[in-house]
Amino acid sequence: MSIDYSKIKLVIWDLDNTFWNGIISEGSVFIPENHIKLINDMVDCGIMCSVCSKNDEKTVAEVLKKAGIDNLFVFKSINWTSKGERVKQIITQMQLRQENVLFIDDSVLNLSEAKQICPGIMAEGVEIIEELCKYFSGCNKNDINHKRLEQYCILEKKQQFKAKIGDNEQFLFDCNIKVEIKNDCEKHIERIYELINRTNQLNFTKKRIDIDELKTLLKDESVYSGYVTVNDNFGDYGIVGFFSEKSDMLLHFLFSCRVLNMGIEQFVYNQLGCPDIIVVPDVASQLNKKTPGWINQNNDKGNRLLKEKLNGKILIKGPCDMEQMFSFIEPSPNIITEFTYINEKGVSIEHYNHTSQIINSLKLDEGDKIRMASLPFCDKNMYSTSIFDDDISVVMLSLFNDPHLGLYEEKNTGIVMAFGEYLVDLTDEKNWNGLIDGTLFNARHCFTIPELKRLKTQFTYKGRLSPEAVLENLKYILSKMSPDSILVLCLGSEMNINVDYLNHESYTDRHIYNQKLNRLIKQWASENHRVKMIDVNNYVKSEDDFLNTINHMKKHIYYMMSKDFVALVNEYTNTSLSEHIESPQKIGLLGHIKRRIRYIVTGER
C-alpha cells in the first residue's frame, strides 16, 4: 500500500464489517478495541474522522454513543443512498481537498465509485486499518485538547444552519463574523508554523519554511507580520490566518480552510491596502478590492439582518429562553420584556412567569400580594405584568416554567405559590440542608431553618401543575387579555436527551410532560384563532442543539425561533383592516372584534 499518511487530514469510515465486526441490521456488532484507540489517536493528532454508511442513523448513533466515541466523528452521512456522491459531499462540506482524504470500505464497488467521483482520494480496504493503528499510535499527539475537532464541529453546525437559511449572503450577515488582526506572532509561533506548512486551498503564496526560518522572519523589523483570529455566532475559530509583508509585497498570505467561503482573506487583503502578491495556484478564492460587508459589520444592512424589527406593542414573557430569543430582535419602546430577574437581595425570581403567578396578579388583593411578597424567595415586583394591558397586540409566553416549578398552597387561604424544582419539596426536612448550602436549587437564596419551618407551617406542597391544569390557566389568561390581542405560546421540546444538570431527576421525564402539554395546546389552538405557537420541536434536530438541559438550547435555535416569531407578529400587526370591515356602529362592537380577528387569522371577511 502506497499511502502517504502525512497527507491525511480526514478518514471517512464505512461501518459494517469495516469499523466494526458484523452487520448491524442483522444483529449485534463488535468494535475492536484497537479501532476505538485508533479513532482517539487520530483525533489527538488533529486528524478528523467521519462516517459514510448505508444504515439507520439512530441505530448507528446508539452503538457509537455506547462505545463513547460518537462525538469524535463529524459530518456523518448515514442513509441508504450510494456512497460516491456522499463521500464527495462530506469532503466539500469540510472544505478539504480530495488528496487529503482516506476512505475505508470493505466493498470494492464502493471504493471504485469513490475514486471515480473523487479523483485523487485515497481509497483502501480494511487491510489498511492495521497500518493506520501503528502509524498514529506513534505520532505526536499535538491536539490533545481537540481544538481542531471543536472547529470542525462549529463548521458542521454552520453548514446545517446555512442549509436552513438558504440565502448565502443573508447567512453571512446573520453569522455576525468578527475578525481581528494581531501582531504578537512570536507568542503563537507553533500555530503559525502549522498554518504555513499545512494550509493549501487558501494559501496564496505556498512558501513552506521551517521553524527557524519563521523565527528569523518574525524578528525582521523590515517585515510586517500578523495573524488573524475569527469568531462568530457559532463560536471562536482561534488563529486562522497569517501574513507577512515587505516593501508592499506579501511574502506569506494564507488562511485555514475552516474559514473558506467566509470572505476572511478578502477582508484582510483590503485591510492591508491590497499589496502586491504573486499568487501560486491553485487557490480556492480570488482576491479583489471589494471588502465583504458582513465582516465586523456596523452598517445598516448588517444590523437589519441581525436584528429583526417588530411592529405593534409586544410583550415577550418567560425565563432565559425568551431572553435568548429576544437577543435577535431589534429593541423598541413598543416591546416589553418580562424575563426571569435577580432582585435586590440577589434572589432569582424565576416563578415570575409561571401561569399561576400570572393569574395571581389579577386575582389577589393588595394585602395578599404584600404577604406573599414577604416570603424570602419573593418580592413586590413578581405580580407586576403588562400581559393584560389594553394596548398589547401580541403576548409571547414561554411554557418552560410550568413543567419545571413546584406549587405550594397556603393553608389558610388556598393561594398557590410557584417556586423551585418541583421534586425539591421545601416543606420536606430531608431537603433542608441542600436548600441551605445550595446543593439543591434555592434561587440563590440561602435558606435558614426558621424560614423553612415557617414555610412548612404555612404551606402544603402540591407538586407541579398537570398539563391539563396549565391549559386551564392559559384559557383564563387569554380570556382576560385584550380581545384585540393574540397569545403566542413557546412549546417545549419533546426530545429525550441525556442531561447533566445538578444530577437532578426533575428533568428526566420533561419530554413526556411536554408531549402531553403540547398536544393539548395544539388542539386548543386549532379551535381558537387567537392562539399561535412557536414550537421548539420544529428547530431542534439532535442532542447537539441543546446545552445542559432540555430547556437550554444553543444560539442558532433561538435565532430560528426569533425569525418565525417576527414573521408571525409582523403578519398580524401589519394587516390593515379599515377598508375591509364595516364600521363598529353598523355591526356592533362585538361583531367588529370577531370579524377583525377572523380576517387577521384567515383572511376571510
Side-chain angles (χ1 to χ4, degrees):
M1 284 168 234
S2 57
I3 295 290
D4 186 348
Y5 297 107
S6 66
K7 289 185 177 181
I8 297 175
K9 294 185 179 181
L10 168 67
V11 177
I12 301 176
W13 290 86
D14 169 50
L15 296 176
D16 290 337
N17 287 328
T18 301
F19 182 68
W20 55 52
N21 298 337
I23 299 174
I24 197 169
S25 62
E26 297 178 359
S28 61
V29 295
F30 171 72
I31 306 177
E33 284 297 323
N34 65 324
H35 290 194
I36 295 176
K37 181 178 183 300
L38 173 59
I39 298 298
N40 282 279
D41 283 344
M42 285 194 293
V43 175
D44 286 349
C45 294
I47 308 302
M48 295 300 98
C49 294
S50 185
V51 168
C52 186
S53 172
K54 292 183 178 180
N55 261 311
D56 174 70
E57 187 173 6
K58 184 177 180 180
T59 306
V60 167
E62 289 173 355
V63 175
L64 294 178
K65 284 177 182 177
K66 187 175 181 180
I69 54 175
D70 184 56
N71 61 344
L72 299 182
F73 292 89
V74 293
F75 291 90
K76 297 187 286 286
S77 177
I78 304 168
N79 56 56
W80 299 98
T81 63
S82 60
K83 292 188 177 182
E85 288 295 339
R86 288 198 283 141
V87 168
K88 182 179 180 180
Q89 183 181 34
I90 292 170
I91 298 171
T92 300
Q93 289 177 328
M94 294 185 66
Q95 300 176 351
L96 293 171
R97 296 195 306 166
Q98 296 170 357
E99 302 92 283
N100 297 120
V101 179
L102 171 63
F103 173 49
I104 305 174
D105 199 302
D106 66 314
S107 166
V108 175
L109 178 64
N110 289 336
L111 294 174
S112 298
E113 183 183 6
K115 287 179 180 178
Q116 181 179 1
I117 295 176
C118 307
I121 193 174
M122 296 175 271
E124 298 290 343
V126 294
E127 60 275 4
I128 193 71
I129 298 176
E130 184 177 350
E131 292 299 317
L132 286 173
C133 290
K134 292 178 182 177
Y135 178 82
F136 285 106
S137 178
C139 276
N140 178 31
K141 308 298 189 295
N142 56 6
D143 193 18
I144 297 296
N145 294 324
H146 296 175
K147 291 294 185 183
R148 185 167 284 112
L149 175 63
E150 182 180 328
Q151 301 303 331
Y152 276 104
C153 288
I154 292 173
L155 179 61
E156 184 173 17
K157 289 178 175 60
K158 285 189 67 172
Q159 295 281 10
Q160 294 167 350
F161 188 48
K162 180 178 178 180
K164 294 173 184 175
I165 296 298
D167 184 273
N168 186 62
E169 184 169 323
Q170 178 174 335
F171 167 75
L172 291 168
F173 273 102
D174 290 350
C175 284
N176 194 23
I177 300 168
K178 302 296 182 185
V179 176
E180 288 189 70
I181 297 173
K182 303 179 181 180
N183 304 109
D184 55 334
C185 297
E186 292 183 76
K187 290 183 180 179
H188 305 280
I189 193 167
E190 293 293 336
R191 172 57 177 158
I192 293 171
Y193 173 72
E194 179 186 38
L195 280 171
I196 290 173
N197 290 284
R198 282 182 63 91
T199 56
N200 290 294
Q201 294 186 82
L202 290 177
N203 190 332
F204 292 83
T205 47
K206 293 187 174 61
K207 295 178 181 177
R208 315 297 188 185
I209 58 177
D210 61 34
I211 194 73
D212 291 330
E213 289 173 314
L214 178 57
K215 290 178 181 178
T216 300
L217 177 71
L218 297 180
K219 290 178 181 178
D220 190 339
E221 295 183 357
S222 67
V223 176
Y224 173 57
S225 296
Y227 62 90
V228 180
T229 64
V230 173
N231 68 78
D232 63 15
N233 288 342
F234 295 90
D236 189 342
Y237 298 77
I239 299 176
V240 297
F242 172 72
F243 65 85
S244 60
E245 177 188 349
K246 183 174 183 178
S247 302
D248 201 33
M249 169 67 75
L250 283 168
L251 307 177
H252 294 274
F253 193 68
L254 52 105
F255 299 85
S256 168
C257 62
R258 292 198 299 267
V259 296
L260 188 65
N261 300 322
M262 291 173 66
I264 307 301
E265 71 285 352
Q266 193 62 58
F267 176 84
V268 174
Y269 183 64
N270 280 272
Q271 288 292 298
L272 296 176
C274 302
D276 293 336
I277 181 172
I278 299 175
V279 176
V280 179
D282 292 325
V283 185
S285 172
Q286 299 297 317
L287 298 174
N288 57 54
K289 296 183 179 181
K290 184 178 180 181
T291 300
W294 52 82
I295 295 176
N296 295 351
Q297 56 189 311
N298 55 12
N299 53 59
D300 292 339
K301 184 175 183 182
N303 290 332
R304 176 174 59 81
L305 289 170
L306 281 170
K307 296 286 189 179
E308 295 288 350
K309 294 181 179 179
L310 288 174
N311 300 312
K313 195 161 186 180
I314 315 298
L315 172 63
I316 302 177
K317 187 172 179 63
C320 52
D321 55 301
M322 291 294 93
E323 193 165 4
Q324 289 287 326
M325 193 191 78
F326 179 69
S327 68
F328 289 106
I329 298 173
E330 184 72 32
S332 164
N334 290 328
I335 300 176
I336 301 170
T337 59
E338 295 180 358
F339 302 141
T340 298
Y341 63 93
I342 308 297
N343 71 9
E344 58 188 14
K345 295 182 290 187
V347 178
S348 174
I349 310 297
E350 184 178 19
H351 41 299
Y352 176 42
N353 295 307
H354 193 280
T355 58
S356 294
Q357 297 290 93
I358 296 171
I359 291 174
N360 282 345
S361 71
L362 272 181
K363 287 188 171 183
L364 299 190
D365 61 32
E366 286 306 309
D368 287 334
K369 289 180 180 178
I370 292 171
R371 188 180 69 261
M372 302 302 285
S374 69
L375 294 170
F377 49 82
C378 300
D379 71 6
K380 63 182 180 181
N381 295 315
M382 68 182 190
Y383 292 118
S384 176
T385 180
S386 297
I387 195 169
F388 304 111
D389 292 358
D390 290 337
D391 59 349
I392 295 291
S393 300
V394 178
V395 173
M396 171 70 164
L397 177 63
S398 167
L399 294 179
F400 287 16
N401 267 340
D402 283 45
H404 181 67
L405 303 185
L407 282 183
Y408 300 83
E409 182 179 80
E410 192 174 35
K411 295 176 181 178
N412 295 335
T413 65
I415 295 172
V416 294
M417 168 66 63
F419 177 80
E421 298 277 4
Y422 81 93
L423 287 181
V424 180
D425 179 2
L426 298 178
T427 67
D428 188 340
E429 294 184 17
K430 73 179 182 182
N431 293 325
W432 286 4
N433 286 337
L435 291 165
I436 291 169
D437 64 23
T439 53
L440 292 177
F441 178 81
N442 60 11
R444 298 189 176 192
H445 174 71
C446 296
F447 285 91
T448 65
I449 291 295
E451 288 173 341
L452 291 166
K453 286 182 176 179
R454 173 195 170 190
L455 292 168
K456 184 174 182 179
T457 301
Q458 188 176 346
F459 289 89
T460 300
Y461 174 61
K462 305 297 288 185
R464 64 177 170 181
L465 281 182
S466 67
E468 291 78 10
V470 176
L471 179 62
E472 291 307 309
N473 280 356
L474 291 170
K475 288 181 177 179
Y476 180 84
I477 290 169
L478 181 65
S479 73
K480 299 299 181 180
M481 287 168 49
S482 166
D484 281 341
S485 64
I486 62 171
L487 177 62
V488 183
L489 298 171
C490 181
L491 306 188
S493 171
E494 300 177 9
M495 186 178 296
N496 185 16
I497 66 170
N498 294 318
V499 299
D500 183 19
Y501 180 67
L502 302 180
N503 296 316
H504 208 288
E505 59 187 20
S506 65
Y507 277 94
T508 56
D509 72 338
R510 191 63 52 82
H511 64 293
I512 298 174
Y513 185 106
N514 288 344
Q515 289 168 9
K516 295 177 181 177
L517 178 58
N518 293 352
R519 188 162 56 247
L520 292 172
I521 298 295
K522 289 175 182 178
Q523 178 62 35
W524 181 42
S526 70
E527 301 165 354
N528 193 316
H529 294 312
R530 290 178 63 201
V531 180
K532 303 297 179 184
M533 295 166 292
I534 296 294
D535 188 350
V536 166
N537 300 285
N538 293 333
Y539 313 104
V540 294
K541 303 302 179 185
S542 71
E543 285 193 17
D544 290 337
D545 290 324
F546 297 86
L547 292 172
N548 56 350
T549 79
I550 196 173
N551 281 0
H552 297 158
M553 291 155 287
K554 294 184 179 177
K555 199 75 171 177
H556 65 283
I557 300 297
Y558 296 112
Y559 170 88
M560 290 184 284
M561 290 168 60
S562 73
K563 297 281 278 191
D564 285 352
F565 176 60
V566 168
L568 186 157
V569 171
N570 285 344
E571 180 180 2
Y572 174 76
T573 56
N574 282 339
T575 305
S576 175
L577 301 174
S578 59
E579 61 186 75
H580 299 295
I581 59 178
E582 297 174 28
S583 69
Q585 289 80 6
K586 288 184 179 180
I587 63 175
L589 180 60
L590 182 60
H592 171 71
I593 291 170
K594 288 181 177 179
R595 289 192 60 171
R596 180 176 180 184
I597 293 170
R598 185 177 69 216
Y599 178 78
I600 289 168
V601 175
T602 67
E604 298 174 0
R605 299 176 188 174

